[in-house]
Amino acid sequence: MEEERHRKDQNTSEVDSVKQAITKVLALLTSHKDHNSASLVCKDWYEAERLSRTHVFIGNCYAVSPEILTRRFPNILSVTLKGKPRFSDFNLVPQDWGADIHPWLVAFADRYPSLEELRLKRMSVSDESLEFLAVSFPNFKVLSLSSCDGFSTDGLAAIATNCKNLTELDIQENGIEDISGSWLSCFPESFTSLEVLNFANVNSEVDFDALEKLVSRCKSLKDLKVNKSISLEQLQKLLVLAPQLVDLGTGSFSQELTDDQRAELESAFNKCKNIHKLSGLWQATALYFPALSPVCANLTFLNLSYATLGSSELVKLLMHCPLLKRLWVLDTVEDKGLEAVGSSCPLLEELRVFPADPFDEEITYGVTEAGFLAVSHGCPRLQYVLYFCQAMTNAAVATIVRNCPNFTCFRLCIMNPGQPDYVTNEPMDEAFGAVVKTCTNLQRLSLSGFLTDLTFEYIGQYAKNLELLSVAFAGSSDWGMQCVLRGCPKLRKFEIRDCPFGDAALLSGLDKYESMRSLWMSACNVTMDGCKLLASKKPRLNVEVIKEAESDDNQADKVYVYRTVAGPRKDAPPSVITL
Amino acid sequence: MSQDTTVDSPESSDGASLMSFDTELTLGLPGESRSPARAPAFAQGHKKNCTKRGFMETVIDLNLGTSHISMPRGQNSESRVSGTGKYPAAKAQVIGWPPVRSFRKKTLEGSSKLVKVAVDGAPYLRKVDLQIYSSYQDLFRALEEMFTCFTTRGDYNMEERKLTGALNGREYVPTYEDKDDDWMLLGDVPWKMFVESCKRIRLMKSSEAVGLAPRTPTNC
């Protein structure tokens, strides 16, 4: 008996030490996907993993609840949370839809008082929430808000005032109420820890004196993106104080400078040996590009999407940027500008061409297939493209992907809905067919133009790595959607608008949706009956319908289907019906 | 969703009767012929050559029947653009389309002064941001580059406030529509005032410029 007990004790302590070892090893994993996989191995690993995890990524805030999250993972320091469906960026989701951060913050304040990082995308964030955040987490370091809405510059003031250990404040592209720029002056004099400050899209004028002092005392600042209220002259002063910058967003890039001022600006840029990323450049004219030349040689990322440059201005600039890997421009650069991209930037991996005036009724000539072709000829390493144009041809796309077979993300937006190949007048099926056949690593695809079910047949047949598919004004029948649901094993997000897909298509994905993050269908042919059927058969999915004011009773105007362990939402507004 | 497929073409504002000529759009640009590599790609498929044509013949043919209309819910392919292989001239207004985030629109609105530029004989409008240029010369140089059929044989002489650009053997007169909806000659007012009041630009064939200003440009 004694011996048995002794042996048992030895076993237990061995098991304990193995558990500890596993926990230590798992703590070294950085990817949340790896963590997820590890947790599935066995119960011991699940236990070890949940204790070791410090960072959690939640792609859909309604897939899990704050309670479930905090119960499973007790030691979280960093949270990334995404809320609204992506089409909310284009005003397709009602303002009051949800994704409120507050209940999460309350749970975190209770269970993760040492929380350090919060990265939010498409969440509703109020000033009260920001104030609560600012005082609840004494170790708080990183706040990143992207495409969020509901807060104002007052909320930013609370953060600046109270977060004594802040290293990162990244305010991107949000629906922010811009009351005043005084928030920036709220950083106390003793505050020196900032490494990242991005207020490029917070438009109101800040107190430059306060900004200058802030930059001066934050010696670790490596990413600074100011807004357009900052002039060239002011920029020069900031650069002199922060030559260690790696990522710079300038303010307004046009001002009448004297020769001396111009020389000072160039000298300031010359001292910034580490700048690899450049953005801002509002109202940039070619006049001051020479000041940038010391920096151009090292640039890997250049964002000119706020600069309405023409082709000749772009040509002048790109000549000096041979190492560019990522470039964002407006279509004012036209095809000639893109030819310069092809000839000057052989290492390019990502190109985004945004339309300067997308909502105008009159069509102005922007970029065409010629520009895209020129880039593909000169930039064989291209992996990511976002291209807005008025029309395209199948032949051009086929050539483009032959030149660049490594696309992982292909987002082509032909701006005229249902626009066929403008030379042959055929559907654009063969274009996207070529994309999925040639680009075997394709993970993200956005379709446009006049498309029949054939496009979807191709996608289902060839796009075996596809994770995100975005469809608008396309397809001929339910068959199209069925092909995709059947054929794409890695599909996670499927967003559809204005397509002739109905209940049969919706229900064909019955066994698929639980393996996906979400499905969005708006202005299609889905009915309430179809949605109710789906909801009844799949209790682990939330099937939500957003009804519009003047629709028939049985019409399901907007449908959002997503897997969840948290059950139906308790915070849905009246327009959102959970089935 | 309403659709508006009429283009507010510059010609309509000066009272010229446009639609009385039932002509077709040519995709070729007027002026000297260029090698295929230079011409915009979409012009190449078209059989018509670049020939001199009168002003009226170059009216953009909107041909409303073939322009695309906004898609009713769940429409199938038959109701889409039948088209005749034309580059689109006007487009439907649809909610949330094109998929561009509103912050981009707001950002650009504040910081640029984009105006449309129409050139008699060129089928498509272009856009320039007046704020990135600092003088009429700058602007004109940019327009030259944009519309490759330009060959300026003249000087832009600011002191004499006379525009003598001659293009393709014909004369183009740069005009603009100001805040009061009047068509004026470029160069009449100081640059900054022009930037502030200009709504759109039209490079007009000089034969049409009668009545706009007392001086008519002459060959140099």
Side-chain angles (χ1 to χ4, degrees):
Chain A
M1 280 290 280
E2 277 271 332
E3 246 184 49
E4 247 181 63
R5 219 182 297 140
H6 177 69
R7 225 179 299 136
K8 263 199 187 144
D9 284 342
Q10 250 190 341
N11 281 345
T12 324
S13 65
E14 270 171 21
V15 166
D16 276 344
S17 51
V18 169
K19 259 195 188 155
Q20 276 178 34
I22 293 176
T23 308
K24 285 217 169 90
V25 169
L26 291 179
L28 296 173
L29 289 177
T30 47
S31 139
H32 65 94
K33 287 190 182 152
D34 289 342
H35 271 274
N36 290 346
S37 308
S39 68
L40 295 172
V41 169
C42 66
K43 196 146 188 256
D44 280 345
W45 278 51
Y46 179 88
E47 276 303 308
E49 196 278 319
R50 63 177 273 268
L51 297 174
S52 71
R53 183 128 35 150
T54 57
H55 165 66
V56 70
F57 170 86
I58 299 164
N60 174 6
C61 65
Y62 287 117
V64 71
S65 72
E67 293 71 37
I68 296 174
L69 177 74
T70 53
R71 208 173 31 220
R72 177 173 171 187
F73 298 114
N75 298 319
I76 296 295
L77 297 174
S78 161
V79 177
T80 302
L81 200 50
K82 293 186 178 182
K84 300 181 193 179
R86 197 179 74 95
F87 278 177
S88 73
D89 285 349
F90 317 124
N91 303 322
L92 290 182
V93 173
Q95 276 287 79
D96 59 350
W97 184 84
D100 186 0
I101 188 61
H102 207 81
W104 294 88
L105 291 178
V106 169
F108 294 160
D110 183 33
R111 306 296 287 268
Y112 307 143
S114 311
L115 189 71
E116 294 179 357
E117 303 184 357
L118 194 60
R119 293 185 170 84
L120 305 180
K121 190 163 188 178
R122 295 191 196 97
M123 298 290 294
S124 272
V125 180
S126 66
D127 284 343
E128 288 70 37
S129 294
L130 289 176
E131 282 154 22
F132 180 76
L133 168 64
V135 299
S136 307
F137 304 100
N139 288 346
F140 198 71
K141 296 197 168 90
V142 170
L143 180 64
S144 168
L145 300 175
S146 172
S147 295
C148 297
D149 67 309
F151 63 103
S152 78
T153 42
D154 289 349
L156 298 183
I159 299 288
T161 307
N162 296 299
C163 297
K164 313 237 178 296
N165 295 310
L166 202 67
T167 60
E168 180 172 331
L169 182 61
D170 183 14
I171 312 294
Q172 291 179 41
E173 307 168 8
N174 300 284
I176 183 173
E177 193 195 338
D178 224 325
I179 298 174
S180 97
S182 58
W183 62 271
L184 188 95
S185 310
C186 293
F187 285 107
E189 305 248 322
S190 54
F191 173 77
T192 60
S193 48
L194 211 54
E195 295 169 23
V196 175
L197 177 62
N198 174 9
F199 64 98
N201 297 120
V202 186
N203 291 325
S204 46
E205 194 175 329
V206 297
D207 178 348
F208 181 68
D209 197 53
L211 176 61
E212 211 179 350
K213 294 202 173 92
L214 180 67
V215 169
S216 167
R217 61 181 188 268
C218 294
K219 305 290 183 201
S220 305
L221 192 67
K222 54 182 202 295
D223 179 342
L224 176 65
K225 297 187 180 82
V226 300
N227 67 20
K228 54 185 170 176
S229 76
I230 300 296
S231 70
L232 272 179
E233 207 181 327
Q234 291 171 328
L235 178 69
Q236 186 266 336
K237 296 195 177 116
L238 294 175
L239 291 178
V240 166
L241 293 168
Q244 75 280 6
L245 285 177
V246 171
D247 191 342
L248 172 67
T250 74
S252 190
F253 215 73
S254 81
Q255 183 190 348
E256 281 177 30
L257 297 180
T258 65
D259 285 342
D260 280 349
Q261 285 173 319
R262 211 190 285 214
E264 278 178 345
L265 182 64
E266 191 161 343
S267 155
F269 272 113
N270 208 17
K271 298 211 172 70
C272 295
K273 304 288 183 198
N274 297 319
I275 294 180
H276 291 297
K277 298 183 187 173
L278 188 63
S279 57
L281 298 166
W282 280 283
Q283 299 169 301
T285 69
L287 199 55
Y288 298 120
F289 283 168
L292 289 176
S293 47
V295 155
C296 285
N298 297 325
L299 280 185
T300 57
F301 174 54
L302 179 57
N303 180 357
L304 295 170
S305 65
Y306 304 129
T308 46
L309 301 177
S311 56
S312 50
E313 287 93 34
L314 183 67
V315 168
K316 285 189 196 110
L317 190 55
L318 288 184
M319 273 196 313
H320 305 288
C321 306
L323 299 184
L324 218 51
K325 286 195 177 157
R326 299 170 58 212
L327 176 64
W328 296 15
V329 291
L330 286 176
D331 65 355
T332 49
V333 304
E334 298 189 351
D335 291 333
K336 256 198 238 174
L338 294 182
E339 278 168 32
V341 174
S343 56
S344 305
C345 307
L347 302 180
L348 201 69
E349 295 174 4
E350 174 179 326
L351 175 68
R352 301 194 197 198
V353 182
F354 295 95
D357 205 349
F359 304 113
D360 198 333
E361 282 161 27
E362 282 183 288
I363 289 183
T364 51
Y365 183 104
V367 293
T368 71
E369 79 281 4
F372 200 168
L373 275 164
V375 176
S376 75
H377 282 301
C379 309
R381 299 191 193 189
L382 215 52
Q383 284 175 34
Y384 188 117
V385 73
L386 171 61
Y387 200 82
F388 282 85
C389 55
Q390 300 294 352
M392 183 52 64
T393 68
N394 288 310
V397 176
T399 306
I400 286 161
V401 295
R402 241 193 332 268
N403 294 336
C404 303
N406 298 318
F407 278 116
T408 53
C409 172
F410 192 91
R411 299 166 66 189
L412 176 62
C413 183
I414 299 169
M415 290 193 274
N416 204 22
Q419 172 70 34
D421 179 319
Y422 75 87
V423 168
T424 65
N425 204 38
E426 283 168 4
M428 295 299 297
D429 296 334
E430 294 307 319
F432 292 104
V435 173
V436 295
K437 284 177 200 167
T438 316
C439 305
T440 51
N441 293 326
L442 197 70
Q443 291 169 0
R444 182 173 179 185
L445 180 62
S446 291
L447 306 176
S448 59
F450 173 28
L451 301 173
T452 70
D453 283 343
L454 184 55
T455 298
F456 300 97
E457 280 179 30
Y458 285 141
I459 293 173
Q461 198 179 345
Y462 294 100
K464 296 306 178 186
N465 285 314
L466 193 63
E467 296 179 17
L468 168 51
L469 181 62
S470 214
V471 188
F473 306 102
S476 337
S477 72
D478 287 332
W479 173 245
M481 185 171 166
Q482 287 165 344
C483 286
V484 173
L485 289 170
R486 238 198 2 225
C488 298
K490 296 197 184 170
L491 196 64
R492 290 186 302 115
K493 287 184 284 182
F494 198 178
E495 45 187 37
I496 305 168
R497 63 164 292 178
D498 295 88
C499 295
F501 304 140
D503 292 338
L506 176 70
L507 293 167
S508 71
L510 215 57
D511 294 323
K512 176 98 177 156
Y513 299 132
E514 277 178 22
S515 71
M516 290 169 51
R517 186 186 296 174
S518 65
L519 167 74
W520 169 279
M521 292 178 76
S522 60
C524 297
N525 290 341
V526 177
T527 69
M528 294 296 280
D529 290 339
C531 294
K532 282 177 189 155
L533 189 55
L534 175 61
S536 66
K537 290 199 183 262
K538 289 285 168 185
R540 281 192 302 198
L541 296 177
N542 275 356
V543 179
E544 296 175 5
V545 174
I546 303 172
K547 288 286 284 174
E548 273 162 7
E550 286 142 25
S551 72
D552 287 339
D553 281 342
N554 202 22
Q555 220 172 324
D557 304 302
K558 296 175 179 169
V559 182
Y560 187 46
V561 178
Y562 57 92
R563 66 179 176 194
T564 180
V565 294
R569 287 172 64 182
K570 298 183 187 75
D571 64 350
S575 56
V576 176
I577 305 162
T578 307
L579 299 172
Chain B
M1 294 174 222
S2 66
Q3 107 260 354
D4 181 2
T5 49
T6 49
V7 165
D8 179 25
S9 53
E11 294 82 1
S12 60
S13 340
D14 65 9
S17 157
L18 307 165
M19 298 303 174
S20 52
F21 288 80
D22 184 18
T23 49
E24 249 192 25
L25 174 68
T26 177
L27 291 176
L29 294 177
E32 74 253 340
S33 60
R34 289 181 307 286
S35 70
R38 292 286 285 149
F42 51 77
Q44 293 176 37
H46 213 88
K47 294 184 180 69
K48 289 190 185 159
N49 287 327
C50 308
T51 53
K52 286 193 180 187
R53 29 189 50 239
F55 166 71
M56 288 316 217
E57 290 167 306
T58 55
V59 165
I60 293 173
D61 175 17
L62 289 173
N63 196 350
L64 298 183
T66 58
S67 294
H68 186 69
I69 56 171
S70 64
M71 291 306 296
R73 181 189 309 273
Q75 276 293 314
N76 63 15
S77 45
E78 277 75 63
S79 61
R80 291 179 199 269
V81 174
S82 55
T84 53
K86 282 185 193 172
Y87 202 70
K91 60 182 183 319
Q93 298 290 291
V94 177
I95 291 178
W97 190 265
V100 176
R101 294 199 221 167
S102 50
F103 88 91
R104 280 204 175 271
K105 184 181 188 200
K106 284 186 209 140
T107 300
L108 280 178
E109 255 165 26
S111 59
S112 69
K113 170 106 201 222
L114 287 167
V115 298
K116 294 175 201 174
V117 183
V119 175
D120 290 357
Y124 308 107
L125 300 173
R126 309 288 254 268
K127 265 210 164 111
V128 285
D129 181 4
L130 294 180
Q131 284 184 356
I132 70 171
Y133 304 108
S134 43
S135 67
Y136 285 110
Q137 262 151 332
D138 263 357
L139 170 64
F140 201 65
R141 227 177 284 135
L143 292 179
E144 232 178 78
E145 293 222 26
M146 230 186 223
F147 294 97
T148 49
C149 59
F150 280 28
T151 48
T152 358
R153 278 186 260 138
D155 259 23
Y156 192 76
N157 189 329
M158 274 305 298
E159 282 90 57
E160 296 180 40
R161 309 210 321 150
K162 198 170 31 162
L163 180 64
T164 55
L167 306 110
N168 300 325
R170 267 168 286 150
E171 280 161 350
Y172 278 78
V173 174
T175 65
Y176 71 100
E177 187 180 13
D178 73 0
K179 276 196 291 213
D180 304 319
D181 298 341
D182 294 323
W183 284 87
M184 317 276 284
L185 266 183
L186 236 82
D188 276 357
V189 302
W191 171 254
K192 290 222 163 83
M193 200 181 293
F194 160 72
V195 170
E196 212 251 312
S197 69
C198 172
K199 287 197 322 191
R200 60 195 300 151
I201 293 175
R202 173 184 164 197
L203 299 176
M204 193 187 277
K205 298 255 183 66
S206 60
S207 50
E208 302 301 320
V210 177
L212 267 177
R215 329 181 263 289
T216 11
T218 51
N219 275 334
C220 61

